[in-house]
């Protein structure tokens, strides 16, 4: 579990190993036996001493300065989401660090009213750990995971129906873990137990989690196998609901005038 506890070092190592040394400007005429950049190569490219960078990666310095993080992010070619994740690992919010309370699982009445009005769309609200807290009736009919009492992560990795419901299961599984990692960075005390449990219960989840990919897919398209309809292609948007609970609203909808639109209207 040491690597799991040292999230900053593990993340830096995973990003270091994906960088092509030659493209980073490293000239090496020897036969390389390592993936990506060596520690000392990354350190020098970022303007750090190799010994100091080693301390960071080994977890002996868990709070490097913003200037050092920015230098590492530049060499590692981190995108905006990865940079934000890197900051959160090295400089976690003070409020989150001391928050051990169980978050509210009750969805606001106004949001529940909206869901009632959206009877012709699959829409649902999830907690930071991806527990489904409320949803439209159509959401539960389109996908069993989208009904209250289910957890999107547990369904994807532990429910045998998942690989049937999701024709693109491998891609969805990767996105689910990468998104959960982004959320967990700012809600560690709340999600640490859930992540540890999933790592124990699913080897696939553990492998994806330990790959340290992180990004948030706030919109996109998903294919679902729906009983009575076949393959349905739906676009989705996500909306972060204001408040300390960290609830997220998912709304799925077909492209207007498409065969998926016709099928969903008939299904509703």
């Amino acid at each position: 579990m040491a690597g799991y506890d040292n999230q900053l070092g593990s993340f830096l190592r995973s990003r270091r190993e994906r960088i092509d040394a030659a493209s980073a400007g490293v000239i090496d005429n020897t036969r390389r036996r390592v993936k990506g950049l060596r520690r000392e190569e990354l350190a020098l490219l970022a303007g750090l001493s190799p010994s100091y960078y080693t301390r960071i990666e080994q977890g002996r310095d868990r709070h490097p300065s913003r200037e050092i993080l920015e230098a590492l992010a530049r060499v590692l070619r981190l995108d905006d989401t990865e940079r934000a994740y890197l900051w959160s690992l090295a400089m976690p919010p003070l409020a989150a660090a001391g928050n051990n309370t169980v978050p509210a699982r009750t969805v606001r009445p106004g949001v529940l009213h909206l869901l009632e009005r959206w009877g012709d769309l699959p829409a649902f609200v999830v907690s930071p750990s991806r527990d489904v807290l409320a949803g439209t009736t159509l959401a539960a009919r389109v996908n069993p995971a989208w009904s209250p009492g289910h957890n999107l992560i547990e369904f994807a990795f532990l429910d045998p129906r998942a690989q049937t419901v999701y024709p693109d299961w491998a891609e969805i599984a990767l996105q689910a873990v990468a998104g959960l990692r982004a959320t967990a960075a700012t809600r560690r005390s709340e999600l640490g137990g859930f992540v540890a449990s999933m790592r124990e219960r699913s080897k696939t989840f553990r492998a994806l989690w330990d790959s340290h990919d992180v990004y948030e897919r706030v919109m996109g398209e998903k294919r679902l196998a729906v009983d009575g309809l076949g393959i349905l292609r739906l676009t989705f948007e996500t909306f972060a609901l204001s408040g300390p609970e960290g609830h997220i609203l998912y709304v799925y909808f077909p492209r207007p005038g498409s065969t998926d639109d016709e099928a969903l209207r008939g299904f509703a």
Side-chain angles (χ1 to χ4, degrees):
M1 293 287 290
Y4 177 64
D5 293 335
N6 180 21
Q7 291 293 291
L8 174 60
S10 297
F11 179 66
L12 288 171
R13 183 173 61 254
S14 72
R15 301 306 89 176
R16 170 171 64 81
E17 292 176 347
R18 73 176 184 175
I19 297 295
D20 178 70
S23 66
V26 174
I27 299 175
D28 187 350
N29 295 322
T30 65
R31 293 185 61 184
R32 297 183 69 87
R33 296 175 180 266
V34 297
K35 293 189 300 181
L37 292 172
R38 298 185 177 95
R39 283 177 180 169
E40 60 270 20
E41 292 168 342
L42 172 56
L44 293 175
L45 288 170
L48 309 176
S49 72
S51 61
Y52 178 62
Y53 174 74
T54 297
R55 281 175 27 220
I56 297 175
E57 194 171 291
Q58 291 180 344
R60 291 182 285 137
D61 184 339
R62 302 198 178 198
H63 303 290
S65 69
R66 178 170 287 274
E67 291 75 19
I68 289 173
L69 294 175
E70 182 60 40
L72 291 171
R74 172 181 52 78
V75 177
L76 295 173
R77 303 172 188 169
L78 303 186
D79 61 25
D80 290 343
T81 302
E82 290 172 322
R83 283 172 182 262
Y85 179 68
L86 180 64
W87 306 151
S88 71
L89 292 178
M91 297 177 285
L94 294 177
N99 180 17
N100 293 313
T101 60
V102 177
R105 300 177 60 82
T106 302
V107 179
R108 296 198 303 266
V111 177
L112 294 176
H113 181 64
L114 283 176
L115 292 175
E116 291 176 2
R117 298 287 298 270
W118 291 343
D120 60 341
L121 290 175
F124 53 93
V125 175
V126 302
S127 70
S129 62
R130 308 313 192 251
D131 289 322
V132 179
L133 305 178
T136 63
T137 300
L138 185 57
R141 292 184 64 197
V142 168
N143 184 349
W146 295 349
S147 57
H150 287 77
N151 179 282
L152 301 182
I153 302 294
E154 290 179 336
F155 181 83
F157 291 94
L158 303 176
D159 195 309
R161 296 174 294 177
Q163 296 197 36
T164 300
V165 171
Y166 301 127
D168 307 307
W169 178 85
E171 179 183 354
I172 287 174
L174 176 63
Q175 293 167 355
V177 175
L180 182 66
R181 177 174 283 284
T183 301
T186 57
R187 308 183 79 96
R188 284 187 227 170
S189 60
E190 181 181 341
L191 299 184
F194 176 71
V195 170
S197 172
M198 285 301 305
R199 292 179 82 252
E200 289 295 323
R201 290 190 288 166
S202 170
K203 292 181 180 179
T204 304
F205 177 91
R206 182 166 63 248
L208 290 175
W209 184 265
D210 291 348
S211 72
H212 291 272
D213 288 331
V214 53
Y215 55 86
E216 294 182 284
R217 196 167 182 226
V218 299
M219 57 175 288
E221 190 174 82
K222 189 171 293 183
R223 295 195 307 149
L224 301 111
V226 183
D227 288 341
L229 291 183
I231 302 297
L232 197 63
R233 189 183 299 272
L234 298 176
T235 300
F236 69 89
E237 291 279 353
T238 61
F239 304 89
L241 302 180
S242 60
E245 301 89 354
H247 293 173
I248 303 170
L249 171 65
Y250 284 77
V251 182
Y252 282 78
F253 50 94
R255 286 184 294 108
S258 66
T259 56
D260 300 301
D261 190 9
E262 295 177 9
L264 193 61
R265 289 177 185 275
F267 198 58

